[in-house]
């Protein structure tokens, strides 16, 4: 069964304190791994897509990496505005290749 | 472009009532889908469509119907609401099925009493 697990569930950081969020996945054949940001009361906002092990993507203070079993979202010198829930999702090869299988998310709080 | 829009933002229903959640996109996307988000469960796929006139079931389709008469619109119908359908519903769209970026709407918060 295709599955995505994110850890930790919640993370509190001081402004400027770098850390990483983990997304472990089990999928029959990975078509793509996605990171989304979700603010309270809003819909998920796309951040990155990763397709193959070894791939890395960066955007401002965020950097996503991918291995054959997991992905990391590295947050460098976070600011309070980075506070949000970060969602990881995978797409698998199969009959419905558009389906996103989501993890439960990591809620990040950055204190000034 | 307005992107993906959803109405209403919030709705309260009584058990047994029916309603339609509206979803529209103006990006000429072929692929559209509906997810529900529940605490501790993550987002789960309800129904999806790969183009006008074509729909299929996702992971949790029971109690929901969909249709896709135009490329732009993908309404989700609850025929007889149940408390278990209390959730936040998100519509998403992408250019095509597959690894294209999927854009999500702002969500509809539904409370069934």
């Amino acid at each position: 069964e295709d599955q995505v697990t994110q850890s930790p569930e919640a993370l509190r950081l001081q402004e400027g304190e770098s850390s990483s969020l983990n997304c472990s996945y089990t999928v029959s054949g990975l078509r793509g791994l996605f990171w989304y940001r979700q603010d309270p009361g809003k819909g998920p906002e796309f951040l990155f897509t990763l397709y193959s092990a070894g791939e890395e993507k960066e955007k401002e203070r965020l950097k996503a990496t991918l291995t054959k079993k997991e992905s990391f979202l590295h947050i460098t010198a976070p600011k309070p505005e980075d506070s949000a829930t970060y969602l990881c999702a995978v797409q698998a090869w199969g009959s419905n290749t558009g389906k996103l299988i989501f993890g439960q998310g990591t809620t990040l709080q950055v204190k000034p | 472009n307005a992107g993906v829009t959803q109405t209403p933002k919030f709705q309260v229903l009584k058990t047994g009532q029916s309603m339609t959640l509206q979803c529209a996109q103006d990006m000429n996307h072929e692929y559209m889908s509906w997810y529900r988000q529940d605490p501790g469960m993550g987002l789960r796929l309800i129904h999806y469509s790969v183009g006008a006139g074509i729909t299929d079931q996702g992971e949790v389709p029971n109690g929901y119907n969909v249709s896709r008469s135009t490329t732009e619109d993908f309404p989700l119908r609850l025929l007889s609401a149940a408390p278990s359908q209390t959730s936040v519903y998100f519509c998403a769209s992408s250019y095509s099925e597959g690894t294209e970026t999927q854009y999500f709407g702002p969500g509809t918060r539904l409370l069934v009493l």
Side-chain angles (χ1 to χ4, degrees), chain A residues 31-32 34 36 38 41-46 49 51 87 91 95-104, chain B residues 31 35 37 40-43 45 48 57-59 90 97-107 109:
Chain A
R31 185 162 180 168
F34 299 79
Y36 284 85
Q38 186 175 26
K42 301 290 181 63
E45 176 187 348
F46 171 78
T49 306
Y51 295 105
L87 303 174
Q91 277 183 340
S95 59
N96 176 14
T97 52
K99 175 183 176 181
L100 291 170
I101 303 160
F102 281 89
Q104 295 182 6
Chain B
Y31 186 85
Y35 288 83
Q37 186 174 37
M41 299 292 291
L43 286 112
L45 181 65
Y48 67 97
Q57 297 181 351
E59 184 183 357
F90 291 100
E97 186 180 11
T99 51
E100 304 291 338
T101 300
Q102 293 194 33
Y103 298 90
F104 282 80
R109 188 174 299 271

Side-chain angles (χ1 to χ4, degrees), chain B residues 40-58:
Chain B
M41 299 292 291
L43 286 112
R44 293 178 292 167
L45 181 65
I46 304 172
H47 284 287
Y48 67 97
S49 169
V50 298
I54 306 170
T55 64
D56 207 342
Q57 297 181 351

